[in-house]
Amino acid sequence: MSTNKITKKDLLIHAKPFNIKGAVKLKKTDLIHAIQIAEGNNPCFLTIDNCSVSPCLYRAECQPE
């Protein structure tokens, strides 16, 4: 599990294969939600306390330890 926060640049690279419209203009949280939806996941970033989903690319920012 990584403790490094993901950068917007990294998110844009991760989002590219999903062709998310307006990805560059999205706020970081909205971009993460768009990526989660595109991956077929629940857009749960920053919405669940004590999340047990692991591994998760966004965990370092979403669930502070």
Side-chain angles (χ1 to χ4, degrees):
M1 176 172 67
S2 175
T3 57
N4 296 329
K5 292 186 176 185
I6 191 164
T7 66
K8 175 101 181 237
K9 181 180 177 182
D10 290 335
L11 287 171
L12 290 171
I13 291 168
H14 190 70
K16 189 168 183 153
F18 299 110
N19 296 315
I20 297 170
K21 288 186 179 185
V24 173
K25 294 181 181 181
L26 290 175
K27 292 180 183 176
K28 189 174 179 179
T29 299
D30 295 331
L31 180 55
I32 291 172
H33 286 163
I35 292 168
Q36 288 176 315
I37 291 167
E39 292 174 328
N41 296 314
N42 181 25
C44 60
F45 181 72
L46 295 177
T47 64
I48 300 172
D49 292 331
N50 299 317
C51 177
S52 62
V53 175
S54 184
C56 176
L57 183 63
Y58 317 109
R59 189 167 191 81
E61 289 179 70
C62 184
Q63 299 292 309
E65 295 182 41

